[in-house]
Amino acid sequence: MSKLSPVRFVDVALEGQFWRERLETVLTRTIPSQHVQLSNHGILDSLKLPNPPPPLRFPRNEHNFTVQVFWDSDVGKWVEAASYALSHRRDAGIEAKIEAITDDLEKAQAPDGYLNCWYLQREPDKRWTNLRDNHELYNLGHLLEGGIAYFLATGRRRLLGILERYVEHVRQTFGPNSGQKRGYCGHQEIELALVKLYRLSGDRKHLDLATYFINERGRQPHYFDQEAAARGEDPKDFWARSYEYNQSHKPVREQTKVVGHAVRAMYMFSAMADLAAELDDHGLKQACEVLWADVMRSKIYITSGLGPAAANEGFTEAYDLPNDTAYAETCASVALIFWAQRMLHLDLDGRYADVMEQALFNGALTGLSRDGEHYFYSNPLDSDGRHSRWAWHTCPCCTMNSSRLVASVGGYFVSASDEAVAFHLYGGMSTTVALAGTKVFLRETSTYPFSGSIKVEVSPENPATFTVKLRIPGWASGTSATLNGAPIDVKTGIANGYLSITRAWHAGDVITLDLPMPPERIYAHPAVKENVGRVALKRGPLVYCVEEVDNPGGRVQQLQLPRDAEISVQNRDDLFDGIITLTAPAGRVEAKDWADNLYRTSPPLRSGGELIALPYYLWNNRGSGSMQVWICEA
Amino acid sequence: MSKLSPVRFVDVALEGQFWRERLETVLTRTIPSQHVQLSNHGILDSLKLPNPPPPLRFPRNEHNFTVQVFWDSDVGKWVEAASYALSHRRDAGIEAKIEAITDDLEKAQAPDGYLNCWYLQREPDKRWTNLRDNHELYNLGHLLEGGIAYFLATGRRRLLGILERYVEHVRQTFGPNSGQKRGYCGHQEIELALVKLYRLSGDRKHLDLATYFINERGRQPHYFDQEAAARGEDPKDFWARSYEYNQSHKPVREQTKVVGHAVRAMYMFSAMADLAAELDDHGLKQACEVLWADVMRSKIYITSGLGPAAANEGFTEAYDLPNDTAYAETCASVALIFWAQRMLHLDLDGRYADVMEQALFNGALTGLSRDGEHYFYSNPLDSDGRHSRWAWHTCPCCTMNSSRLVASVGGYFVSASDEAVAFHLYGGMSTTVALAGTKVFLRETSTYPFSGSIKVEVSPENPATFTVKLRIPGWASGTSATLNGAPIDVKTGIANGYLSITRAWHAGDVITLDLPMPPERIYAHPAVKENVGRVALKRGPLVYCVEEVDNPGGRVQQLQLPRDAEISVQNRDDLFDGIITLTAPAGRVEAKDWADNLYRTSPPLRSGGELIALPYYLWNNRGSGSMQVWICEA
C-alpha cells in the first residue's frame, strides 16, 4: 500500500465561502500590499548590493542592527506567497516583481555562491562567524522555499538556480569532513527547505544535508561555544543564556520537553518529521511524538497559541499560559500547522488533524485582519483594549507566514494514496485524484466551520474499489453519517479519528456527515493558574471570545457567566459575511457606585444582562476594545 | 502657630518588637553585607580613578554600558544608609569604609568640582551631553544625601565639602543665564537632595537651584531635544519614545496624570511637595494634590506597589494593575513613603498617612528579606513560584533604598510643632519633644501592626497645655479611646483622620486607643480586569497573601474562597518571631482526574479544606513557591 500524501493546493478548488473569501483577500490585497510594505521599509532595497540605498528610518533592534539580518527571509517568504498566488492565476505584475528580486539576488551573489545580503554589504569577511544569532542559513531556507514555489508556479528556474548554487556552497562549507564547519543555524528553517528541494529534485544530497543539520544540532563540543570563542567572546555571555533558546541544548533525539523559541522549535520539529518520513527513521519519529505529547499536555493555549513569553518568544514552564501577556506568535501557530500536517502523514491519526485545524482557525487565521492588510504578531487571549493590529512590524515575519499559509491552504484539506483518500478539513472544495487506477472526482460541500453538515460526493470515472476516510473531529460527539441516504454505523467505522468506508464506488455516490456543533464550555487544567474559575466557549473547531464592541458598558472582563446559563446560537448575517455568534445570560460587575475608590470592603454590585461571543479569529476587526477568551464563571 | 515637622529618627527610640527586629537586622546584616556586595561587584572600585580595576564580570545593560552610569548613586545610597546606622551607634569599621570612599571621591574630583566617576573615567569631554539618559545629576543627588547623613551622624564635613564643591559646579553650569545649560536630569533626585542641603545649610541658593530644576522641566524648546540634536541624534529616536518616561513631557505644574518611570515620578513629586512647603507655593501644592488623586484613583496596587509595567518601569493606563507581571519596584514604594510624608506635612490629613503606612508595611518592607540580605526588585501580587528574592542585582538601586528607609524609619512616626504632637505610626516608641515651652516625654506602646491596642503616655516635665493628635487609620472603624481611663468621644474628636486632644497635660497622662482589626475582605474596582471575581484579605494595615508553603497540594491559585466563609485569626508564635495569620474554609480545584488533558468540557472537581494567609511582606522567606494576593472568590 502506498502512503497518504497531501493533495497539492493547486489541485484543490476551494468552493466554500469561508475559504474563498480568505483566499481572495490574500491574493488581491495581502500579497500586493506586502510588496508595497517591503518596498517602503527598505527591505527590497537591501538586496541591491553593493550599495543599497539606506532605509528612510533605521529600525533598531537589540543587536543594534539597522538593516535586519533576517530581511532576506522576508523577501523569500513573500516570493513564496506570491508564487502560490501565481499558481492560482498567473499575473505579469507579480512575476515582474519576482524577476526584479531575482535580478538583485543574481547580482548580489558572490562568485562562490554565497548569498546573504546583510553580510555581503556589511561584513563580507565575517560570513559564517555567528550562526547562533545571525540567521544566514535561515534566510537561505526561506529564499529556497520561495524559489521552489516560483519554479512550480511558473517553470522559471533562474531564481531556483541561484539558490541551488548557494545551497551547493553551503553543502561544501558545512559537514563532518575536515575543512568543513560542523555548524548549523541558530534559527532552524533550512532543514525543511532542503527536504522540499530534495522532493523537487530527487537529489539525495539535499536530504543528506538536512539530515546532517538535524543530527549535528546540540552535539558536544558545542558548535556555538566554539564559534563564540573564535569571535573572542565568552560563550557564557550568550544573551539568551541557554541553548534551549534555539533547541541546541542537547541532540534532537534526546529532547523530551519543548523549550525555547517557539517558531524555531516548530520549524525544527517539522523537519524532524519530514526526515522521519523520508528516512523511515523510527527514533526520530518517536522523538517527535514525545515532544508533541509535551506540547499538548501543558504548553498550548486553547487557541493553539504557542510560547507564552516575550522574553524568549517561546516556551517556559508547564501550565504557564498567561492570557493577557501571551506571546503566542502567529508564526508559531502557522508552523504548528506544518508540524501537525507532517505528523498526520506519519500516522493518520485524527489527534494531529484536530490540532492542525485548531491552529488554522484559532491561531494562524487570527494573525491576519479581515481587510488582509493588518496583522497580529502576538496573540493574547485577554486584552484591555491596547492590543491592536498593525500595518507592519519591525520584524515582519508573521505577515508573510499568514499569506503563504492562506495562499496554499487548499493543500491541507485532503490526502491520497493509490487506494485511499482522506478528508482532513471541511469547508467546501473539489479535487480529482487517481484511486485504484481511475480518476475520481471528489466534492465536499458544507458551510463548515459554522455548520457540521457535510456532503461528500465521490465520482470515479469508472467504478472502482477504494477507501474514503472522513475525519471525525475529536470535539464532535454524536456524529451521524449516511451513504447514499442509508445510515452508516459511525461507531464501528471510526479508527483513529477517521471514518473509513471501503467499497466499490460509483459516480454520484454521496456520503453525508452530521457533526453536531452545540456550544461547549471548556475548562483548563487547574494548574493553569489564570484560568481557575474561568470558562471558555467553543463551537465546533472555533474558539470564541467576548469583545467590547458587542458587549458595551465597560471592559468585557467585568462579565460573569453563570455555570448554568444556557448558551444559544445566533446566525449573524450582518457580521463578516455571515457568522455564528453565541449568546448567554450573564452578569456584569458594575463600576457605577465606586466613585473614586480603587479598593473597598464591599463587593461590587452585579447587574444582569447577556454576553455575545464571536469567533476569536475575528477579534479586533472593528476597532480597539477589550477582549477576553476565558470568562469569569460565577 | 508653627508647622508640624517630623521628629528626626535619631530622636525616636523604637521599642516595639516589630521595628526593633527590622532595624537590628538592617544595622547588623543588611548594611554590612551591602558593602561586601558593592565591593564584590566592582562598584566601589569604580570610584578609583583614573584607572579603576575592571569588574570581574561585565554586566551589560541595554545601553551596553559595562560599568553602569548610576553606580555613583549606589555608593551614595549606601553611605546614607550606613550613616543612619552610625546615628544609631558609632562604628569605627563603617566610618573607615566611608572615609575610604571619601578618599576616592576626593581624588576623583575634577579641579572644577565635577565628580561623576563614569564620565571621568570614560568620556571626560562628554560630561553633561546626555542628561536625558545618563544620570549625572541623579548620582550627585544620592551622593549628597549620603554626605549630609554622614555629616549629621559624625560631624565630619569632608565628604559633604566635596559634594558642596560639586553642587557649586552644577549651580554655575545650569540655569537660565547666558552661558548656562538650561538642562535638568533625566532621573529626578537632585532636587530633593538640594532641599535637604538647603535645610542643613540655610543657604537659599540650594533651594533656588532645586526650584530651577523643577520649574525648567518640560519647558519648550525641550532641553532633551536640543541635547540629542547636539549629539547628532534625532530626538525622535529616544528609546523610551516619549518624555512622559521621565515626566518632562510638559511643565510639572501642568501635569495632571501620573506617567512614566515610577521612581522618577515619586522623587519628583517629593521634591515638588518640598518646594511647595518651602516656598509656600500653592500652585505646586495643587499640582501635587491632583497627581496624588490620580495615583490613588486608579494606579496603585493594594500593596502600594506603583508602576505595573517592566517596559518603562512605570505607569501605564488607569486600572492597569496586572498581578503576576506587576513591576511595582521596591524603590517606587519607598519613594511613595517620601512623597506621602511630605504631603502629610503640607496638610495633616490621615489619607496621606494611610498611604505612607500602607507603602511601608506592604510595599517597602516586602523588598527586604527576613535575613536582611536578599531582595525583591519587582513585587508581583501573584507568582507561580518562579519569582524569588536575589542576593544582588545588576541594578542594585532597591537594596539601599530598603536599608536607608529602615535605618531611618523612626523618622516617620511622629511630628511636632511648638504646640502639638501628631502620632502617624504605631508600634512602640518613645521620644522627647518640646511642646508649649516644656519638655514632653512621649511613649507609645503596642504590638502594632498585629494589634490595634495602643497606649500613649504623655509626660510633660511641667504641666502644660498642648495638643496630642493620634492618627485613626482609614481602615479602622469602631475605634474607641480613653484618657486616663475615661472614654473619649472619638467621633467628635476626629478631624482629617486624627483624634485631637487639647488640654492641660500632666506627667503620667495616658491615652489608649483601640483600633479594631477584624479580618477584612477587599474588592478592587471592576475596571481592574484581573481582580474581577477575586478578593484580597487584609487585617489592620497589613495585606495578606496565600503562599504555597502554608497551603500545600498544588498552586495556591487553585484555592477558592467562598464569599460567606468566615475568616479567623491565629496567633502564630512559631512564625517569624510571632505573627498573625488568617484562616478560612476554602475550596481547591483539583488536578487529580485530569490525566494528560489540558482542556476539557467538564469543570474541575473541587475539594474542601482551608486556606492560610500570611502578611504579604513576609512572602518568599521560606523558599520558593506559588503565592497570590487576589484569591478567586467562589
Side-chain angles (χ1 to χ4, degrees):
Chain A
M1 250 183 41
S2 73
K3 275 188 181 172
L4 284 169
S5 40
V7 176
R8 280 204 68 212
F9 73 93
V10 290
D11 299 321
V12 172
L14 293 178
E15 298 175 341
Q17 182 205 294
F18 186 93
W19 285 109
R20 284 297 324 154
E21 183 282 327
R22 285 288 79 187
L23 182 63
E24 278 301 308
T25 299
V26 164
L27 297 185
T28 60
R29 304 200 57 173
T30 310
I31 290 169
S33 68
Q34 287 178 343
H35 189 271
V36 172
Q37 294 280 15
L38 289 167
S39 173
N40 288 349
H41 287 81
I43 297 177
L44 293 175
D45 278 351
S46 75
L47 309 179
K48 296 186 187 300
L49 301 193
N51 294 309
L56 290 178
R57 294 275 305 163
F58 292 85
R60 283 189 283 179
N61 67 7
E62 75 268 29
H63 306 297
N64 212 24
F65 295 142
T66 49
V67 171
Q68 285 168 329
V69 290
F70 43 75
W71 278 4
D72 288 1
S73 78
D74 296 317
V75 175
K77 270 150 86 175
W78 183 80
V79 169
E80 185 184 349
S83 299
Y84 294 157
L86 295 176
S87 289
H88 289 284
R89 44 192 184 235
R90 296 291 290 265
D91 177 318
I94 287 181
E95 287 169 58
K97 289 180 172 73
I98 298 178
E99 287 298 313
I101 289 167
T102 307
D103 290 344
D104 289 336
L105 291 173
E106 197 167 47
K107 277 179 223 151
Q109 190 163 38
D112 63 1
Y114 181 83
L115 178 49
N116 178 289
C117 294
W118 192 89
Y119 271 104
L120 286 170
Q121 189 207 339
R122 272 166 197 71
E123 306 185 309
D125 53 327
K126 295 217 172 144
R127 53 161 96 160
W128 309 133
T129 58
N130 189 350
L131 294 172
R132 188 189 71 190
D133 296 333
N134 284 353
H135 294 63
E136 279 159 293
L137 292 167
Y138 166 87
N139 285 339
L140 169 54
H142 277 305
L143 284 168
L144 188 56
E145 289 195 86
I148 292 169
Y150 188 55
F151 168 68
L152 288 171
T154 65
R156 295 217 183 93
R157 261 214 151 272
R158 187 166 64 113
L159 177 57
L160 182 56
I162 292 166
L163 298 165
E164 283 175 329
R165 281 194 292 285
Y166 188 11
V167 167
E168 184 55 26
H169 169 76
V170 166
R171 207 176 60 77
Q172 287 172 11
T173 305
F174 292 96
N177 302 319
S178 90
Q180 287 185 306
K181 291 175 189 291
R182 296 200 64 148
Y184 43 85
C185 195
H187 196 316
Q188 304 92 317
E189 153 62 29
I190 180 78
E191 299 83 357
L192 66 87
L194 287 169
V195 173
K196 282 189 178 179
L197 184 59
Y198 161 68
R199 287 175 182 160
L200 179 77
S201 65
D203 194 336
R204 174 91 194 181
K205 67 184 178 187
H206 301 308
L207 190 66
D208 291 344
L209 184 55
T211 308
Y212 162 76
F213 283 136
I214 287 292
N215 286 343
E216 190 63 29
R217 193 170 203 88
R219 288 212 175 142
Q220 291 298 343
H222 202 288
Y223 185 76
F224 296 154
D225 280 352
Q226 300 177 311
E227 186 196 57
R231 289 195 305 271
E233 294 171 14
D234 185 344
K236 290 194 187 66
D237 279 348
F238 178 35
W239 64 271
R241 311 234 169 181
S242 159
Y243 292 140
E244 286 192 352
Y245 175 71
N246 54 35
Q247 296 85 33
S248 71
H249 56 301
K250 51 173 87 167
V252 301
R253 288 155 210 270
E254 296 169 24
Q255 297 187 25
T256 57
K257 301 283 177 196
V258 62
V259 293
H261 188 273
V263 181
R264 283 169 164 82
M266 294 302 120
Y267 285 173
M268 180 172 88
F269 301 159
S270 297
M272 285 164 64
D274 273 342
L275 294 178
E278 294 296 343
L279 305 172
D280 208 8
D281 184 329
H282 190 68
L284 213 44
K285 183 183 171 205
Q286 227 165 16
C288 287
E289 288 165 349
V290 167
L291 290 161
W292 180 274
D294 184 55
V295 173
M296 300 308 150
R297 188 184 302 118
S298 62
K299 293 172 185 165
I300 185 167
Y301 285 97
I302 190 174
T303 55
S304 91
L306 297 176
N312 66 346
E313 302 194 303
F315 295 98
T316 56
E317 305 292 314
Y319 303 110
D320 179 32
L321 295 164
N323 292 311
D324 55 358
T325 58
Y327 200 72
E329 185 180 338
T330 302
C331 284
S333 289
V334 171
L336 173 59
I337 294 169
F338 301 159
W339 185 27
Q341 190 194 33
R342 284 160 173 80
M343 296 304 285
L344 183 62
H345 289 84
L346 286 174
D347 280 318
L348 188 75
D349 189 321
R351 289 180 305 137
Y352 298 123
D354 284 353
V355 170
M356 184 172 83
E357 179 178 81
Q358 170 192 344
L360 183 61
F361 284 117
N362 307 298
L365 270 191
T366 311
L368 183 65
S369 68
R370 193 71 182 165
D371 71 8
E373 298 184 13
H374 294 82
Y375 307 90
F376 279 138
Y377 189 107
S378 60
N379 290 281
L381 286 77
D382 177 298
S383 168
D384 61 8
R386 284 179 292 163
H387 191 79
S388 31
R389 297 171 185 277
W390 34 267
W392 199 245
H393 197 277
T394 48
C395 178
C397 52
C398 297
T399 61
M400 270 79 69
N401 253 336
S402 291
S403 55
R404 68 180 181 137
L405 176 74
V406 174
S408 61
V409 73
Y412 297 87
F413 274 68
V414 185
S415 300
S417 67
D418 293 344
E419 313 85 16
V421 62
F423 288 80
H424 312 301
L425 301 179
Y426 305 108
M429 47 73 63
S430 66
T431 189
T432 300
V433 296
L435 292 170
T438 189
K439 271 191 186 175
V440 182
F441 176 77
L442 299 161
R443 168 167 280 152
E444 179 265 315
T445 312
S446 70
T447 57
Y448 197 90
F450 293 116
S451 154
S453 177
I454 290 157
K455 176 181 157 193
V456 176
E457 182 190 337
V458 182
S459 288
E461 223 167 47
N462 302 306
T465 297
F466 53 83
T467 302
V468 175
K469 289 169 179 281
L470 300 170
R471 173 174 156 256
I472 311 298
W475 49 259
S477 64
T479 298
S480 57
T482 65
L483 172 62
N484 296 329
I488 301 174
D489 182 354
V490 174
K491 244 183 198 159
T492 60
I494 289 187
N496 295 324
Y498 284 80
L499 172 64
S500 261
I501 311 173
T502 305
R503 66 190 290 273
W505 296 91
H506 297 81
D509 282 344
V510 169
I511 315 166
T512 67
L513 269 188
D514 184 31
L515 308 173
M517 284 190 181
E520 289 186 301
R521 284 171 185 257
I522 308 289
Y523 298 88
H525 190 287
V528 182
K529 68 186 176 70
E530 286 78 6
N531 296 343
V532 171
R534 295 185 180 274
V535 63
L537 301 180
K538 204 164 166 268
R539 179 173 179 274
L542 299 178
V543 173
Y544 277 67
C545 70
V546 281
E547 207 183 357
E548 192 165 330
V549 61
D550 303 308
N551 300 277
R555 290 185 168 157
V556 293
Q557 286 83 0
Q558 292 170 232
L559 294 168
Q560 294 185 315
L561 180 62
R563 180 162 290 176
D564 55 1
E566 196 181 334
I567 302 161
S568 57
V569 165
Q570 275 75 36
N571 274 296
R572 288 291 298 269
D573 293 337
D574 58 320
L575 284 178
F576 303 110
D577 303 332
I579 60 165
I580 283 179
T581 58
L582 303 180
T583 304
R588 180 190 284 273
V589 291
E590 287 293 350
K592 280 174 208 156
D593 61 335
W594 279 73
D596 278 349
N597 295 313
L598 182 51
Y599 302 105
R600 73 182 196 193
T601 54
S602 59
L605 299 176
R606 186 172 145 157
S607 61
E610 63 168 22
L611 66 75
I612 297 176
L614 93 162
Y616 173 74
Y617 77 90
L618 287 167
W619 89 277
N620 197 246
N621 275 298
R622 292 168 293 163
S624 291
S626 56
M627 179 281 297
Q628 190 171 41
V629 170
W630 290 98
I631 302 161
C632 200
E633 194 180 60
Chain B
M1 249 182 45
S2 73
K3 274 189 183 173
L4 283 170
S5 38
V7 176
R8 279 206 68 213
F9 73 92
V10 289
D11 298 322
V12 173
L14 294 177
E15 299 174 342
Q17 184 206 294
F18 187 93
W19 286 110
R20 284 296 328 154
E21 184 282 328
R22 284 289 78 190
L23 183 62
E24 278 302 306
T25 299
V26 164
L27 298 184
T28 59
R29 304 198 59 172
T30 310
I31 291 169
S33 67
Q34 288 177 343
H35 190 270
V36 172
Q37 295 281 12
L38 289 166
S39 173
N40 289 348
H41 287 81
I43 297 176
L44 293 175
D45 277 350
S46 75
L47 310 179
K48 296 185 185 302
L49 301 192
N51 294 307
L56 290 177
R57 295 274 304 165
F58 292 86
R60 283 188 284 180
N61 69 3
E62 74 269 28
H63 306 296
N64 211 24
F65 296 143
T66 49
V67 171
Q68 285 170 328
V69 289
F70 43 74
W71 278 5
D72 288 0
S73 77
D74 296 317
V75 175
K77 270 150 86 176
W78 182 80
V79 170
E80 185 183 350
S83 299
Y84 294 157
L86 295 177
S87 289
H88 289 284
R89 45 191 181 238
R90 298 291 290 265
D91 177 319
I94 287 182
E95 286 168 60
K97 289 179 173 74
I98 299 177
E99 287 298 313
I101 289 167
T102 306
D103 290 343
D104 289 336
L105 291 173
E106 196 166 49
K107 276 179 223 152
Q109 190 162 38
D112 63 0
Y114 181 82
L115 178 48
N116 177 290
C117 293
W118 193 88
Y119 272 104
L120 286 170
Q121 189 207 340
R122 276 166 194 71
E123 304 185 309
D125 53 326
K126 296 217 170 142
R127 54 160 98 159
W128 310 131
T129 57
N130 190 350
L131 295 173
R132 188 189 72 190
D133 297 333
N134 285 352
H135 295 63
E136 279 159 294
L137 293 167
Y138 166 87
N139 285 339
L140 168 54
H142 277 304
L143 283 168
L144 188 56
E145 288 195 87
I148 292 168
Y150 187 55
F151 168 70
L152 288 172
T154 65
R156 296 219 181 94
R157 259 212 154 275
R158 187 166 63 114
L159 177 58
L160 183 57
I162 292 167
L163 298 165
E164 283 174 327
R165 282 193 291 284
Y166 188 10
V167 167
E168 184 54 27
H169 170 75
V170 165
R171 208 177 60 77
Q172 289 172 13
T173 305
F174 292 95
N177 302 320
S178 91
Q180 287 185 305
K181 292 176 188 292
R182 297 198 63 147
Y184 41 86
C185 196
H187 197 315
Q188 303 90 319
E189 152 63 27
I190 181 77
E191 299 83 358
L192 67 88
L194 286 169
V195 174
K196 282 191 179 178
L197 183 59
Y198 161 68
R199 288 178 180 159
L200 179 77
S201 66
D203 194 336
R204 175 92 195 180
K205 67 183 177 186
H206 302 307
L207 190 65
D208 291 344
L209 185 55
T211 308
Y212 162 77
F213 284 136
I214 287 293
N215 286 343
E216 190 63 28
R217 194 170 201 86
R219 288 215 173 138
Q220 292 296 342
H222 203 287
Y223 185 76
F224 296 154
D225 279 352
Q226 301 177 310
E227 185 196 58
R231 289 194 304 272
E233 294 170 16
D234 184 345
K236 289 193 187 67
D237 279 347
F238 179 34
W239 64 271
R241 311 234 170 183
S242 159
Y243 292 141
E244 288 191 351
Y245 175 71
N246 52 37
Q247 297 85 31
S248 70
H249 56 301
K250 51 174 82 166
V252 303
R253 288 154 209 272
E254 296 170 24
Q255 297 187 25
T256 57
K257 302 282 177 196
V258 62
V259 292
H261 189 271
V263 180
R264 283 169 164 82
M266 293 302 119
Y267 284 174
M268 181 172 88
F269 301 159
S270 298
M272 286 164 64
D274 272 341
L275 294 178
E278 294 297 343
L279 305 171
D280 208 7
D281 184 329
H282 190 67
L284 213 42
K285 182 182 172 207
Q286 225 166 16
C288 287
E289 288 166 346
V290 168
L291 290 162
W292 180 274
D294 184 55
V295 174
M296 300 309 150
R297 187 184 302 116
S298 62
K299 293 172 185 166
I300 185 167
Y301 285 97
I302 190 175
T303 54
S304 91
L306 297 175
N312 65 346
E313 302 193 307
F315 294 98
T316 55
E317 305 293 313
Y319 303 110
D320 180 31
L321 295 164
N323 293 312
D324 54 358
T325 58
Y327 200 71
E329 186 181 337
T330 301
C331 284
S333 289
V334 171
L336 172 60
I337 295 169
F338 300 160
W339 186 28
Q341 190 195 32
R342 284 159 173 81
M343 296 303 287
L344 183 61
H345 289 85
L346 286 174
D347 279 319
L348 188 74
D349 189 322
R351 291 179 304 135
Y352 299 124
D354 284 353
V355 170
M356 184 172 82
E357 176 179 82
Q358 170 192 341
L360 184 61
F361 283 118
N362 307 296
L365 269 193
T366 311
L368 183 64
S369 67
R370 194 70 182 164
D371 70 8
E373 299 185 13
H374 294 82
Y375 308 91
F376 278 138
Y377 190 107
S378 60
N379 291 281
L381 287 77
D382 177 299
S383 168
D384 60 8
R386 283 180 293 162
H387 191 79
S388 33
R389 297 172 185 278
W390 35 268
W392 199 244
H393 198 277
T394 49
C395 177
C397 52
C398 297
T399 61
M400 269 81 67
N401 254 334
S402 292
S403 54
R404 69 180 180 137
L405 175 74
V406 175
S408 61
V409 74
Y412 297 88
F413 275 68
V414 184
S415 300
S417 68
D418 293 343
E419 311 85 16
V421 61
F423 288 79
H424 313 301
L425 300 180
Y426 305 109
M429 49 70 65
S430 66
T431 189
T432 299
V433 297
L435 292 170
T438 188
K439 271 192 187 173
V440 183
F441 175 77
L442 299 161
R443 167 168 280 151
E444 179 264 317
T445 313
S446 69
T447 58
Y448 197 90
F450 293 116
S451 156
S453 177
I454 291 159
K455 176 181 156 192
V456 176
E457 183 190 336
V458 181
S459 289
E461 225 169 42
N462 303 306
T465 297
F466 51 86
T467 302
V468 175
K469 289 171 178 278
L470 299 170
R471 172 172 158 258
I472 311 297
W475 49 259
S477 66
T479 297
S480 58
T482 66
L483 173 61
N484 294 330
I488 301 175
D489 183 353
V490 174
K491 245 183 195 156
T492 59
I494 287 188
N496 294 325
Y498 284 80
L499 173 64
S500 263
I501 310 172
T502 305
R503 65 192 289 275
W505 296 91
H506 297 80
D509 281 343
V510 170
I511 315 165
T512 67
L513 268 188
D514 183 29
L515 308 172
M517 286 190 181
E520 287 186 303
R521 284 171 186 258
I522 307 290
Y523 298 88
H525 190 287
V528 182
K529 67 188 176 70
E530 286 78 6
N531 296 344
V532 172
R534 296 184 180 276
V535 63
L537 301 180
K538 204 163 164 267
R539 180 172 178 274
L542 299 178
V543 174
Y544 278 67
C545 70
V546 281
E547 204 180 0
E548 194 167 329
V549 61
D550 302 308
N551 299 277
R555 289 183 169 159
V556 293
Q557 286 82 1
Q558 292 169 229
L559 293 168
Q560 295 184 315
L561 180 62
R563 180 161 291 177
D564 56 2
E566 197 182 331
I567 302 161
S568 56
V569 165
Q570 274 75 36
N571 274 297
R572 288 291 299 270
D573 293 335
D574 57 321
L575 286 178
F576 303 108
D577 302 330
I579 60 167
I580 283 179
T581 58
L582 303 179
T583 304
R588 180 189 284 273
V589 293
E590 285 295 347
K592 281 176 207 153
D593 61 335
W594 280 73
D596 278 347
N597 295 313
L598 183 50
Y599 303 105
R600 72 182 195 192
T601 53
S602 58
L605 300 175
R606 184 171 146 159
S607 61
E610 63 167 24
L611 65 74
I612 297 174
L614 93 163
Y616 173 74
Y617 78 88
L618 286 168
W619 89 276
N620 197 245
N621 275 300
R622 293 168 292 164
S624 291
S626 55
M627 180 281 298
Q628 191 171 40
V629 170
W630 291 97
I631 302 161
C632 199
E633 193 180 59

